[in-house]
Amino acid sequence: MESGVDAEDVPSFDKPRHIKYWTRCLKTLLPSMYTSNDSNRMYLAYFILSACDILGVLFTLTTAGEREGYLTWIYHCQHPSGGFRMWPGTDFGESSSAANAKWDPANGPATYFALASLMILRDDLQRVKRQETLEWIHRLQHADGSFGETIVDGKIEGGHDPRLAYCATGVRYILRHSEAGSAVVDGSTFSDIDVDALVGSIQRAESFDGGIADAPFHEPQAGYTFCSLGCMQFVERLRPDTAMSFNTPALQRAPSRPREVIRWLLNLQTTLTDPDDAPLNDLKSVPMDASSPTEIPASTTAQLQSHNLHQSPDKSNPWTNSSTTLSIPDSPPVHGPESIPAGFSGRPSKPPDTCYAFWALASLDLLQTSHLASRSQTRTYLLGLTQQAIMGGFTKFAHDRWADLYHSYLGLVALSLCSTEVERATDGIAEVDAGMCVSMQVRSKLDGGLRS
């Protein structure tokens, strides 16, 4: 903690309330607003199970019989031709036929969420149809290298954006070794995805300003940027630093300009809390009346005036250095006292949103530069502005009333990413793997023999 910051000004993590929030989600019916997500149950299950795992309560909140029931439900969603469904509602059972097969396809994101959930429940994945799933993932790839969501009547459906590539390559990463090329699984040999074409599709979506979009010439966004970087890590083609040397220099890698991606991500961190409010570093326009939602505590006003607080990190060297060597400082740029909240937006000049604290910090973590962000101020933003003080969980924006599963889960993961080891121990939350968006303990199971 920086000197001069009063302990009472630093918000804390209310773990009991978060446990109650996720217990309600796990053990009771979800609110009516989730009715429209009934056909997306797999990702809701993933959020709930993983949140309980990160909080360290999954195996105390549930019995062995309940966990076996969760496993049974997930495997009931497994498609006979490989992959998983988002929910069991499209399973025709004994009435399945070629005529109604188009209404019951396997789904790319559902398959990643299902496999991740199985790992969270400490399943051995022996019941997964590995060969069929990997062959299906191969067929999901478009000619341009991107991936679709489903296959209907032999046609790839569902778009081309990097969210689908992230899920597809994540499935591949879990079910086989990451080396490119044909592989042998369960005694059978099958073709791999076209990794070079995938890398090319990511490179073509890189924007002039450093972010990565869903397609060439589209606006970049932090979520697309993370998914692009994540899928490159899954296939071992991520280029985190132009100064790094590789044993296989001929391999095509992305992003093509990592320093610009890093600069773009850092520029997303902001002290703005609402579109109609002035940034907290603009002292002349910040209202100081007690009713202001962006009021700066009196104990930190003097500190603000004495700090060189930036809305965005300094754009001087190393970012504008024309050298091919990326020089990374030992400490993050000074943003101001840690009691001043600074979240992340998804696009430049937008207000911060809880989920983008994950998308941006996880992206920086993959690029090995998360220390360049002011993580302590992100922690203050999450705990002081979007942590739901009554029900638990996290809200989307600072002034929202209710938490939701999506922002509550990504807020929890972001909190782990922006916290020190000591802070995580105090909070009682696990360290997370930024690339897979699960706890490190779950991620370590892959190296412990889950792959064939």
Side-chain angles (χ1 to χ4, degrees):
M1 184 181 301
E2 296 187 21
S3 60
V5 178
D6 295 333
E8 59 267 22
D9 290 332
V10 180
S12 61
F13 181 64
D14 193 344
K15 184 176 179 179
R17 290 192 189 276
H18 287 266
I19 292 175
K20 287 182 179 180
Y21 175 84
W22 290 108
T23 301
R24 286 192 298 271
C25 294
L26 180 66
K27 301 279 191 174
T28 68
L29 297 176
L30 294 176
S32 59
M33 69 179 70
Y34 290 97
T35 301
S36 61
N37 279 282
D38 196 38
S39 60
N40 291 317
R41 286 188 219 167
M42 191 63 75
Y43 87 83
L44 299 178
Y46 159 75
F47 288 154
I48 296 170
L49 292 172
S50 192
C52 291
D53 179 61
I54 292 170
L55 288 167
V57 297
L58 177 60
F59 293 88
T60 57
L61 286 179
T62 61
T63 65
E66 287 174 325
R67 294 192 295 275
E68 185 59 38
Y70 304 153
L71 290 172
T72 299
W73 181 85
I74 294 172
Y75 275 114
H76 184 71
C77 293
Q78 185 168 211
H79 197 279
S81 299
F84 285 77
R85 308 172 178 92
M86 270 288 186
W87 70 317
T90 58
D91 183 6
F92 290 95
E94 295 180 356
S95 300
S96 297
S97 65
N100 60 32
K102 64 182 179 181
W103 303 110
D104 182 33
N107 179 282
T111 303
Y112 180 76
F113 295 139
L115 292 176
S117 297
L118 291 173
M119 291 172 58
I120 291 164
L121 290 166
R122 310 308 192 258
D123 184 62
D124 59 11
L125 306 186
Q126 291 303 304
R127 287 177 280 177
V128 174
K129 296 179 180 292
R130 290 175 183 264
Q131 179 182 347
E132 294 89 340
T133 299
L134 289 167
E135 289 177 342
W136 169 72
I137 287 293
H138 175 253
R139 297 196 303 273
L140 269 181
Q141 190 171 23
H142 292 287
D144 67 356
S146 63
F147 282 84
E149 184 176 4
T150 62
I151 298 176
V152 178
D153 290 335
K155 181 181 178 182
I156 303 172
E157 301 283 0
H160 296 251
D161 75 62
R163 294 173 297 182
L164 303 174
Y166 172 86
C167 293
T169 54
V171 170
R172 174 187 179 274
Y173 183 74
I174 292 172
L175 294 183
R176 58 163 284 175
H177 295 292
S178 55
E179 292 84 358
S182 299
V184 177
V185 174
D186 298 333
S188 300
T189 302
F190 60 92
S191 300
D192 193 13
I193 64 173
D194 188 338
V195 177
D196 286 336
L198 171 62
V199 176
S201 71
I202 298 300
Q203 290 179 333
R204 289 190 295 274
E206 293 180 40
S207 175
F208 73 95
D209 59 357
I212 305 176
D214 62 324
F217 309 114
H218 286 196
E219 182 182 20
Q221 189 243 31
Y224 291 140
T225 299
F226 167 80
C227 290
S228 299
L229 300 176
C231 73
M232 289 296 95
Q233 184 194 49
F234 282 146
V235 298
E236 295 189 343
R237 295 294 188 91
L238 179 64
R239 178 186 289 144
D241 186 340
T242 54
M244 292 181 65
S245 61
F246 298 97
N247 296 326
T248 53
L251 290 178
Q252 190 176 4
R253 297 181 182 275
S256 57
R257 300 179 302 149
R259 72 180 64 187
E260 296 303 321
V261 180
I262 295 167
R263 179 171 63 181
W264 184 83
L265 288 165
L266 290 173
N267 283 337
L268 297 179
Q269 188 165 26
T270 174
T271 55
L272 184 69
T273 59
D274 186 276
D276 298 322
D277 292 335
L280 292 183
N281 59 340
D282 184 359
L283 295 179
K284 294 181 180 179
S285 58
V286 172
M288 288 300 180
D289 60 301
S291 63
S292 171
T294 57
E295 180 181 354
I296 301 175
S299 60
T300 62
T301 302
Q303 296 177 54
L304 270 173
Q305 294 170 336
S306 63
H307 277 75
N308 181 22
L309 184 64
H310 294 285
Q311 173 76 6
S312 300
D314 190 356
K315 295 183 180 180
S316 60
N317 287 337
W319 313 119
T320 56
N321 193 331
S322 60
S323 169
T324 58
T325 300
L326 178 62
S327 175
I328 298 177
D330 294 330
S331 60
V334 175
H335 287 253
E338 64 184 58
S339 58
I340 301 302
F344 282 87
S345 59
R347 294 172 291 164
S349 301
K350 297 290 184 179
D353 175 331
T354 293
C355 71
Y356 290 114
F358 167 75
W359 299 122
L361 279 177
S363 296
L364 289 167
D365 191 278
L366 291 174
L367 293 169
Q368 303 172 19
T369 52
S370 62
H371 64 281
L372 292 179
S374 184
R375 290 176 292 190
S376 62
Q377 290 179 267
T378 302
R379 180 178 166 86
T380 301
Y381 167 79
L382 293 170
L383 296 180
L385 294 182
T386 68
Q387 179 177 220
Q388 219 289 342
I390 299 173
M391 303 294 289
F394 290 92
T395 61
K396 175 181 173 70
F397 293 124
H399 308 310
D400 284 355
R401 179 174 297 178
W402 306 116
D404 64 84
L405 270 72
Y406 171 76
H407 290 91
S408 292
Y409 178 65
L410 292 186
L412 184 63
V413 179
L415 180 65
S416 179
L417 288 174
C418 69
S419 300
T420 65
E421 184 176 353
V422 172
E423 288 169 335
R424 283 193 296 269
T426 301
D427 294 339
I429 59 176
E431 183 181 6
V432 299
D433 180 87
M436 290 194 69
C437 197
V438 294
S439 71
M440 281 291 191
Q441 186 177 10
V442 171
R443 165 64 183 83
S444 67
K445 298 298 180 183
L446 281 179
D447 299 325
L450 281 184
R451 292 191 184 101
S452 61

